[in-house]
Amino acid sequence: MPRRLNPPALRPTAPVIDVNGSLTDVAGITVGHHRRIGRGWRTGTTAILAVDGATAGVDVRGGGPGTRETDLLRPENLIQQVHGICLTGGSAYGLAAASGVMSFLESRRVGYSVGPLPDQIVPIVPGAVIFDLGRGGTFAHRPDHDFGLRAAGAARRRAEANGSVGAGTGAVAGRLQGGIGSASTVLQSGVVVAALAVVNAAGSLIDAATGLPWDTSAHDLRRPSRADRNLLTSVLAAPAPSVPASLNTTIGVVATTARLSKAECTKLASVAHDGMARAIRPAHSMFDGDTVFALATGAHDLPDASTTGFRTEGTRPAELNIILDAAALCFAAACTQAILAATSIGGPLAYRDLCPSAFR
Amino acid sequence: MPRRLNPPALRPTAPVIDVNGSLTDVAGITVGHHRRIGRGWRTGTTAILAVDGATAGVDVRGGGPGTRETDLLRPENLIQQVHGICLTGGSAYGLAAASGVMSFLESRRVGYSVGPLPDQIVPIVPGAVIFDLGRGGTFAHRPDHDFGLRAAGAARRRAEANGSVGAGTGAVAGRLQGGIGSASTVLQSGVVVAALAVVNAAGSLIDAATGLPWDTSAHDLRRPSRADRNLLTSVLAAPAPSVPASLNTTIGVVATTARLSKAECTKLASVAHDGMARAIRPAHSMFDGDTVFALATGAHDLPDASTTGFRTEGTRPAELNIILDAAALCFAAACTQAILAATSIGGPLAYRDLCPSAFR
């Protein structure tokens, strides 16, 4: 149940984060998943589509990233809009899935026009990967072009799910099953801000002292029973599995209906990392490839860029600020939601298996 | 009182953060403050000296920074070591204080050699400012060359103080008096990590729902009395003062005895911002100039850079990782310590005035 985080005086809009919200609460964004489990498989791909285009930015803050098409997102470079983001398992091999997302978009004639004919297009699909190699048993089982094609083909306005789906299928976070989480909020201005996180962190989302997530500010949980806490502590303290748990990564997307520049999207992606820092400890390690993309669909105009200065209301930086704060809160809530929604699928146990008493 | 943050299994070194620690716990680093209060003054300067040089990096993540000598800190640029960092009030005007720190160092013949004679040196002193203009009453009263000279002259191994001193004199954080905080830790390897934060944040360090700081993980506090919470809430919810509280900034330094490259120092500064994100909500706003410098004195060697790969122990990235985590924890603790140590000096009330019941 969403609740107010702070008195309005501290944050003009007092954002109410909906942990049942979705990235697709931003109109124009669709999300699709494809996964394969069993027979040595435990991985998948998530396609986030913006078939009408979305202005984009990225901030890569992990020490071991696996990404594509991030250089074109630098504010000084040509391309202003992307048509999709591909998040996928498979480590660097999984980048092949993004080509499948491109193929889907090309077949729908969605892309950057590079010639006079309607089929002379190049879809722009940046992407990032998580490390899940060998987690289903077979090291060579990883997403390929077909995974991206299927994930994009499954993209819907209302088909998104949280938990161990899509790119979150093979995810592990602090010895527990990882996965995908989402959250969204509607600001007083009507601007929608939403986040989707694929949580596969070297750090932990759980405070072993309480048995609760580090960041519960948007979630309605209660302190787990002593029995559940003891069980959880024993799992968290278990020796590391033979598959290196340390080659992990949290990747995700924040999206908004606001009309932002590429530079503002870059800032948005950057501040969303604050949510990761709050939900995951440690975050941004040398072994994480932590990467956040930002998408702005442009439905809501902000004040003109000339409205700057020291005033805290009504100016463009002031309005952007409210969106930045909301993005950090949504991303933290999405990370926590990922660990709460995860279900065990033949790998590590899930938080909800170990701590059912935390859920009201 | 320091306490363990997590079972050893989650963090190999289980860092114990000493909130009574100091940046000067890193041998080779000295800290000095100068401030002026009363008669329209309420500002100051803090000089952090490394007279034997320290490898340095920086990460500027706020939307409104005021800095100097940060371009030379980019890993690809010539200069490897700095001789001091100047943190100061006075907004961009206050950058003049860094020239005073340079003058002090020049007089001691500390600097980068640019000629055959011992006095042909250029001290390298990057710096960052907080916005405190007009907070003592007179807009034109701000740190100048003399402030830097005096702060550097006051630099000692054991003269550092927390609270509303030096660059923290005019600081405000979420309607409360801001200031300077410090924290340190000694890792199992013997490497020392420490942080100093000047907290002047647009965001709040206090969770209005509990009356406690957002990040108390290293502090031994108790839930304040209802009367104290009510008083605190009324202050936090008060209308913004006429001086724009929004043009704020948290700046600081993390230091370590490890021998790091400039690129590794850049990463260290970057991850220290995670501590800011945990302690201050929101952080990194458009109106904050949030900047963290990192210093590495080089007393402790890390494993050779060729020791990389997936192993989580004994490799250089693994050892660096432990330092990164500790830096984020120290910086969060330093931010919280700043608000706890602050005392009212003719401006906003301090947390300890409003919530004495939180202190054991």
Side-chain angles (χ1 to χ4, degrees), chain B:
Chain B
M1 181 188 302
R3 56 194 178 95
R4 293 198 169 267
L5 294 173
N6 240 336
L10 284 183
R11 291 190 168 116
T13 53
V16 179
I17 308 301
D18 181 1
V19 298
N20 297 313
S22 156
L23 198 67
T24 60
D25 292 339
V26 173
I29 305 287
T30 57
V31 175
H33 305 288
H34 179 67
R35 74 173 184 183
R36 194 161 167 192
I37 54 178
R39 295 176 176 266
W41 287 89
R42 188 163 156 259
T43 190
T45 296
T46 295
I48 292 126
L49 303 187
V51 295
D52 297 323
T55 307
V58 67
D59 189 14
V60 181
R61 297 197 63 222
T67 58
R68 54 168 266 164
E69 294 276 53
T70 47
D71 281 319
L72 68 72
L73 292 180
R74 292 210 306 268
E76 68 270 29
N77 288 341
L78 173 71
I79 296 289
Q80 298 293 314
Q81 295 213 309
V82 305
H83 309 99
I85 302 286
C86 181
L87 307 177
T88 182
S91 190
Y93 298 109
L95 290 173
S99 301
V101 178
M102 284 184 72
S103 293
F104 175 84
L105 291 166
E106 186 187 18
S107 73
R108 304 298 169 103
R109 301 212 168 163
V110 171
Y112 181 77
S113 178
V114 292
L117 300 178
D119 61 353
Q120 293 173 329
I121 52 161
V122 179
I124 307 297
V125 184
V129 305
I130 67 164
F131 180 92
D132 59 4
L133 295 176
R135 290 213 178 126
T138 305
F139 190 82
H141 282 180
R142 50 238 183 183
D144 57 8
H145 185 278
D146 185 59
F147 274 64
L149 196 62
R150 287 170 183 262
R156 300 281 184 278
R157 182 75 202 275
R158 304 213 168 276
E160 190 185 354
N162 290 329
S164 304
V165 296
T169 303
V172 175
R175 309 292 160 84
L176 302 177
Q177 172 71 38
I180 288 182
S182 305
S184 70
T185 189
V186 183
L187 302 176
Q188 285 178 349
S189 59
V191 167
V192 180
V193 179
L196 181 151
V198 184
V199 176
N200 184 51
S204 174
L205 284 87
I206 308 297
D207 179 356
T210 64
L212 286 171
W214 289 111
D215 189 293
T216 58
S217 55
H219 285 84
D220 191 27
L221 297 168
R222 60 180 181 184
R223 190 174 170 91
S225 67
R226 177 179 294 271
D228 284 3
R229 285 205 309 278
N230 288 345
L231 183 60
L232 183 69
T233 303
S234 66
V235 169
L236 294 178
S242 58
V243 175
S246 58
L247 287 169
N248 288 5
T249 281
T250 297
I251 55 180
V253 174
V254 289
T256 179
T257 56
R259 183 183 299 279
L260 303 181
S261 68
K262 272 179 85 181
E264 289 165 336
C265 285
T266 305
K267 180 75 180 167
L268 184 62
S270 182
V271 173
H273 277 280
D274 284 358
M276 200 186 299
R278 291 170 189 157
I280 306 176
R281 303 190 180 201
H284 305 123
S285 86
M286 292 302 287
F287 301 111
D288 286 307
D290 299 344
T291 298
V292 179
F293 297 93
L295 300 176
T297 61
H300 283 93
D301 275 317
L302 293 194
D304 190 84
S306 65
T307 58
T308 185
F310 70 87
R311 284 183 299 125
T312 57
E313 285 177 28
T315 63
R316 188 173 182 92
E319 294 301 310
L320 175 59
N321 231 15
I322 294 167
I323 296 169
L324 297 176
D325 182 24
L329 295 171
C330 282
F331 204 85
C335 289
T336 297
Q337 185 68 1
I339 203 84
L340 296 179
T343 50
S344 183
I345 46 172
L349 290 170
Y351 180 76
R352 61 171 54 245
D353 300 330
L354 293 163
C355 264
S357 61
F359 296 86
R360 288 179 195 275

Side-chain angles (χ1 to χ4, degrees), chain A residues 49-250:
Chain A
L49 303 187
V51 295
D52 298 322
T55 307
V58 67
D59 189 15
V60 180
R61 297 197 62 222
T67 59
R68 55 167 265 164
E69 293 277 52
T70 47
D71 281 319
L72 68 72
L73 292 180
R74 291 210 307 268
E76 67 272 28
N77 288 341
L78 173 72
I79 296 290
Q80 297 294 314
Q81 294 213 310
V82 304
H83 308 100
I85 302 286
C86 181
L87 307 178
T88 181
S91 189
Y93 298 109
L95 290 174
S99 302
V101 179
M102 284 185 71
S103 293
F104 175 84
L105 290 167
E106 184 186 21
S107 73
R108 302 300 168 101
R109 300 210 169 163
V110 172
Y112 181 77
S113 178
V114 292
L117 299 178
D119 61 354
Q120 293 173 328
I121 52 160
V122 179
I124 307 297
V125 184
V129 305
I130 68 164
F131 180 93
D132 59 5
L133 295 176
R135 290 215 177 123
T138 305
F139 190 83
H141 282 180
R142 49 238 184 183
D144 58 8
H145 185 277
D146 185 59
F147 273 64
L149 197 63
R150 287 170 182 263
R156 302 282 184 277
R157 181 75 203 275
R158 304 211 166 278
E160 189 185 355
N162 290 330
S164 305
V165 297
T169 302
V172 174
R175 311 291 161 81
L176 303 177
Q177 172 71 37
I180 288 182
S182 305
S184 69
T185 189
V186 183
L187 302 176
Q188 285 177 350
S189 60
V191 167
V192 180
V193 179
L196 181 150
V198 185
V199 176
N200 185 51
S204 174
L205 285 87
I206 308 297
D207 179 357
T210 64
L212 287 170
W214 289 111
D215 190 293
T216 57
S217 54
H219 285 83
D220 192 26
L221 296 168
R222 62 180 178 183
R223 191 175 171 91
S225 67
R226 178 180 295 269
D228 284 4
R229 285 205 309 278
N230 287 346
L231 183 59
L232 182 68
T233 302
S234 67
V235 170
L236 294 179
S242 58
V243 175
S246 58
L247 288 169
N248 287 6
T249 282
T250 297

